[in-house]
Amino acid sequence: MFTLKELPYAYDALEPYIDRETMHIHHDKHHATYVKNLNDLLTNFPDFYNNSLEDVIKSAVKLPEDIRQKVINNAGGVINHDFYWEVMAPGLVKPSDKFMAIINSQFGDFEKLKEAFTNAALGRFGSGWAWLVLDNNKLKITDTANQDTKIGGLSKPVLTIDVWEHAYYLKYQNRRAEYINAWWSVVNWTQVEKLYFSLI
Ligand code: MN3
């Protein structure tokens, strides 16, 4: 069975940028529901419980059509949130000099990366995710709808932001731009760089 991974920090660790109540409901209710739904959907296909989430998504074509997309959506929900919690942390406001040099060479400067990523996150119509991915050894910005994921694909994600309303509505209501702006203060650059240098 799939399990809900614990948050790598306390619910209030990302205050004041992301509030305790949002983190609590987001992790314990939304993320937990994706885990529960996924396990429930696979009740009659227990072999799937032994797979990684990436493999569940890749192998979903073997499942009956009536549950296939639901499995993909819920497995995506689990894997995306596992990744999202890990790329946030308190107190790391900017990348290391080494990674900053890579950002500068590929985007011009850090502000341009932030602007392009923010535009992708703001421009994602409805629910979804914006991503910084490594594609053919180049950093690129992209976005996905709903719980579609970049994890397990050809381009490898190093950073993501959840722009479903449940990620920000309690504190920021409809002001997605304010949430994204605040979120930059809690990006876990140590994790982003670890992912990047493990891929390059
Ligand atoms: Mn979410």
Side-chain angles (χ1 to χ4, degrees):
M1 303 278 276
F2 295 97
T3 54
L4 176 64
K5 275 197 200 158
E6 278 187 38
L7 274 183
Y9 33 72
Y11 293 118
D12 62 359
L14 307 180
E15 294 260 12
Y17 308 103
I18 303 181
D19 61 293
R20 185 189 187 287
E21 184 67 0
T22 295
M23 290 299 288
H24 183 241
I25 291 174
H26 199 171
H27 178 267
D28 288 24
K29 306 291 182 193
H30 292 281
H31 188 181
T33 299
Y34 294 122
V35 175
K36 184 183 184 303
N37 287 347
L38 179 62
N39 284 328
D40 290 350
L41 283 160
L42 294 173
T43 304
N44 295 325
F45 307 91
D47 287 354
F48 273 76
Y49 295 138
N50 302 318
N51 289 339
S52 68
L53 290 159
E54 284 176 40
D55 286 338
V56 167
I57 293 168
K58 282 182 192 146
S59 317
V61 286
K62 297 178 194 158
L63 292 165
E65 219 172 316
D66 62 325
I67 65 164
R68 192 180 300 156
Q69 191 58 46
K70 290 176 191 159
V71 167
I72 292 169
N73 293 345
N74 284 283
V78 179
I79 206 169
N80 284 342
H81 286 91
D82 286 348
F83 191 93
Y84 172 65
W85 309 132
E86 294 285 341
V87 294
M88 296 189 290
L92 292 159
V93 285
K94 66 187 182 92
S96 69
D97 290 348
K98 188 179 172 191
F99 194 60
M100 195 67 98
I102 291 159
I103 289 171
N104 291 345
S105 73
Q106 298 197 22
F107 291 91
D109 60 41
F110 186 48
E111 287 309 310
K112 290 207 179 70
L113 161 69
K114 281 177 72 173
E115 190 186 331
F117 189 94
T118 296
N119 286 341
L122 270 177
R124 161 58 24 220
F125 184 77
S127 297
W129 302 74
W131 304 85
L132 181 65
V133 299
L134 194 63
D135 185 357
N136 279 327
N137 287 341
K138 289 273 288 180
L139 287 168
K140 288 189 184 154
I141 290 160
T142 186
D143 62 277
T144 58
N146 302 315
Q147 293 300 355
D148 291 351
T149 189
K150 299 305 290 183
I151 301 163
L154 292 177
S155 64
K156 304 295 176 195
V158 299
L159 179 63
T160 195
I161 184 172
D162 186 346
V163 291
W164 283 58
E165 280 188 347
H166 68 225
Y168 60 89
Y169 198 84
L170 288 178
K171 183 175 172 78
Y172 297 101
Q173 287 83 48
N174 60 320
R175 303 185 302 277
R176 187 189 286 190
E178 275 182 42
Y179 154 66
I180 298 165
N181 187 47
W183 171 85
W184 284 109
S185 298
V186 294
V187 172
N188 182 353
W189 291 106
T190 304
Q191 174 70 3
V192 174
E193 292 175 32
K194 194 175 109 188
L195 290 168
Y196 177 85
F197 289 114
S198 74
L199 294 165
I200 204 83

